[in-house]
Amino acid sequence: MIPLKRPLSHPSFIFNKSNSKSLRSLIKNTRSTNETFSSPIPIFYFKFSDSTMPIFAANSSSFSRVNTHFPDSVNQPTLTSKAQTFPQIRTFCVKRTNPNAELSASNDIPIVSTVSGPIQTSQPIDAGSSMRKPISLWPGMYHSPVTNALWEARSSMFEKSFAEKDSQTELVAKTPSMSRTSIAYKFSSDYILREQYKNPWDEMRMGKLLEDLDALAGTISYKHCRKDDGATRPILLVTASVDKMVLKKPIRVDFDLKISGAVTWVGRSSMEIQMEVTQSTPDSPDPSDSVALVANFTFVARDSKTGKSAPLNQILPETEHEKLLWKEAEERNKMRKQKRVAEKKDVDNRDEDRLNTLLAEGRVFCDMPALADRDSILIRDTRHENSLMCQPQQRNIHGRIFGGFLMRKASELAFSNAYAFAGAAPCFMEVDHVDFFKPVDVGNFLRFKSCVLYTELENPMKPLINVEVVAHVTRPELRCSEVSNKFYFTFTVRPEAMKEGLKIRNVVPATEEEARRVLERMDAERSQ
């Protein structure tokens, strides 16, 4: 049989209506039984207009009728050995990957596609045949192949902790190498995996990558807290903040990618985990040039019963590089504390002039719109938002919404906002420091509100678009709404678009509150 190369939706595929009545009659005669019946009637056929092309007819020579709606008995009959399936009629040039292939490093987690490849056999997919883990391990597994693999990696820790009644309370010192874990993405050979991570412009979906970074950081944090025998202390580890992430080079979706990370610093009840995204391409074969992104995640520990801060295993850096990372993390921790103190102070009087300068153009828009600068736009006119209900499938192992899921949704909204504002596909540049103020629970009504806060047009060929995304946790029953997260993304547009005459507009505030937000972001950028 020659495989067809057109989709089944093609108009040349014709359902055999003339024979469908006979087929229904044949089925009707067997409705009270579960026997196997045969039909010589073609269900559909395909004929090309060219007489030299083949004619294809799909026919089922044997069916097994199983009443799945109102069973006569508890035990249902299985398909007979004579039952046949429709032949495969689509062909794809896809190289199949071996999901069981082991990576060279013992701490590497292989990532494979979660959807069957196009050329795999047409065996039914058993949705319930996945690993039988404790119920708290099931949430979040649908997010991506990475979270699937990470939940599997965590399973041994939690099963051991559930099995033991008396978990260890004493603390030990651990080296960074003991928590180091990597994820390998075989994009070059896994077609289905590549499809899950590319956007409409055949580039990396950065939102999914941020989600994976948070998931891996969570696994590393638990790995640092478990005992030598594999048991895990009964504590909650949650993402407290994420430091600024700057994209050092474009990440391609057609080359293999690797994410690795380890605990680099530990306080009393908090820890910092540094993640690296590396990718070797023909443009950068040198391993020293392969680092595309560095991210620092801060996790805090809480007692699972009292909710108070819980002590953590201390870190014991061994190599000079590990000691350097510890020193840098210690400095960042001190800066974060100083920043929190500074944020409590009111805006200094000397900033009044800056506020008035920012508001001057906005007042023209509000009071004399006909005279306003046509190359500028008000912040409120760049707003976009979306809303969603927090479903049980999006929760983490503690029953709350997975932090990486929030980062991905915010990133995708920011991308859409920048796209609508610029009129061309934006390119991700960086995401600024992220604080997780309030936890998000299952059943919460979550609203993401975004706007273009300001633009930087000093470089005409590389304008910067700064997008703010604020996540609000809304509880209609309590008539309250609280800010859960604030995200700040920076995008640019391709030089080719600027050469074609694309012009990015200036963004101005219309209220004092908007002007203060702009000043805070500008000062935060300068201080980093």
Side-chain angles (χ1 to χ4, degrees), residues 127-139:
S129 64
S130 59
M131 49 191 177
R132 302 301 181 184
K133 301 299 179 185
I135 188 65
S136 61
L137 291 180
W138 295 356

Side-chain angles (χ1 to χ4, degrees), residues 198-218:
K198 76 175 185 179
N199 65 15
W201 296 272
D202 291 331
E203 297 173 347
M204 173 66 68
R205 288 180 59 186
M206 294 303 300
K208 286 186 70 68
L209 190 61
L210 295 177
E211 183 179 33
D212 293 349
L213 285 168
D214 182 75
L216 178 57

Side-chain angles (χ1 to χ4, degrees), residues 427-482:
C427 299
F428 173 85
M429 293 288 292
E430 63 183 50
V431 54
D432 204 358
H433 182 89
V434 179
D435 286 311
F436 292 80
F437 302 116
K438 299 286 184 180
V440 183
D441 296 318
V442 173
N444 285 162
F445 180 49
L446 193 62
R447 300 182 66 187
F448 290 92
K449 300 180 181 181
S450 71
C451 67
V452 178
L453 206 54
Y454 65 96
T455 55
E456 300 176 63
L457 309 177
E458 289 79 7
N459 185 352
M461 298 307 296
K462 192 177 181 181
L464 300 181
I465 305 170
N466 294 274
V467 182
E468 176 190 63
V469 180
V470 182
H472 295 261
V473 179
T474 305
R475 297 178 175 88
E477 298 89 348
L478 303 177
R479 300 177 63 187
C480 69
S481 178
E482 298 177 297

Side-chain angles (χ1 to χ4, degrees), residues 4 14 61 194 249 296 328-329 344 378 468 478 495 525:
L4 299 180
I14 305 173
S61 60
R194 187 166 65 249
K249 69 172 189 175
N296 295 302
E328 292 175 350
K344 295 180 181 179
L378 292 176
E468 176 190 63
L478 303 177
E525 286 290 331

Side-chain angles (χ1 to χ4, degrees), residues 142-399:
Y142 85 102
H143 285 300
S144 71
V146 172
T147 49
N148 286 352
L150 291 175
W151 254 256
E152 173 68 21
R154 295 186 198 182
S155 62
S156 60
M157 309 181 202
F158 287 97
E159 288 178 342
K160 192 66 176 292
S161 65
F162 292 155
E164 295 187 2
K165 296 182 179 179
D166 299 324
S167 58
Q168 182 185 16
T169 56
E170 63 270 14
L171 302 175
V172 296
K174 289 195 169 186
T175 63
S177 60
M178 297 175 71
S179 63
R180 181 166 296 279
T181 310
S182 301
I183 293 178
Y185 299 75
K186 299 297 183 181
F187 286 139
S188 62
S189 57
D190 194 331
Y191 167 83
I192 299 299
L193 182 66
R194 187 166 65 249
E195 285 293 306
Q196 295 181 67
Y197 280 84
K198 76 175 185 179
N199 65 15
W201 296 272
D202 291 331
E203 297 173 347
M204 173 66 68
R205 288 180 59 186
M206 294 303 300
K208 286 186 70 68
L209 190 61
L210 295 177
E211 183 179 33
D212 293 349
L213 285 168
D214 182 75
L216 178 57
T219 295
I220 293 172
S221 66
Y222 276 99
K223 197 172 181 181
H224 177 79
C225 294
R226 67 176 178 176
K227 294 168 55 177
D228 293 336
D229 60 359
T232 306
R233 296 169 54 229
I235 58 176
L236 306 179
L237 292 169
V238 295
T239 309
S241 65
V242 184
D243 283 352
K244 183 176 182 177
M245 289 183 276
V246 180
L247 190 65
K248 297 183 177 181
K249 69 172 189 175
I251 298 177
R252 299 180 58 174
V253 76
D254 53 346
F255 286 90
D256 292 348
L257 185 75
K258 185 175 182 179
I259 299 178
S260 59
V263 176
T264 56
W265 176 89
V266 177
R268 180 189 174 276
S269 60
S270 62
M271 71 176 77
E272 183 175 295
I273 299 167
Q274 185 170 99
M275 316 286 293
E276 276 191 354
V277 180
T278 57
Q279 185 179 59
S280 296
T281 61
D283 300 333
S284 58
D286 188 356
S288 61
D289 298 331
S290 62
V291 178
L293 185 71
V294 177
N296 295 302
F297 285 74
T298 301
F299 278 72
V300 294
R302 297 286 182 265
D303 188 275
S304 59
K305 296 181 180 179
T306 65
K308 298 181 179 179
S309 60
L312 292 169
N313 292 331
Q314 291 302 299
I315 195 74
L316 188 63
E318 292 180 322
T319 66
E320 291 299 324
H321 180 64
E322 292 173 350
K323 293 178 181 178
L324 178 61
L325 292 178
W326 182 91
K327 185 177 179 180
E328 292 175 350
E330 179 73 13
E331 292 296 326
R332 283 191 294 269
N333 183 59
K334 292 179 180 179
M335 290 180 62
R336 280 192 289 265
K337 292 180 179 180
Q338 295 173 359
K339 183 180 179 181
R340 285 194 292 266
V341 174
E343 287 176 349
K344 295 180 181 179
K345 298 180 181 180
D346 295 332
V347 178
D348 210 350
N349 291 332
R350 65 176 178 269
D351 289 334
E352 291 299 326
D353 293 338
R354 299 171 63 196
L355 283 173
N356 292 330
T357 302
L358 282 175
L359 288 170
E361 186 65 28
R363 292 191 181 103
V364 176
F365 268 91
C366 297
D367 301 334
M368 299 171 286
L371 303 177
D373 185 2
R374 296 307 165 198
D375 292 331
S376 299
I377 186 174
L378 292 176
I379 290 178
R380 67 189 182 196
D381 293 331
T382 67
R383 292 174 181 170
H384 290 267
E385 65 176 80
N386 60 21
S387 305
L388 58 94
M389 288 297 302
C390 298
Q391 305 295 344
Q393 296 82 8
Q394 296 154 358
R395 71 190 188 276
N396 59 19
I397 56 178
H398 303 309

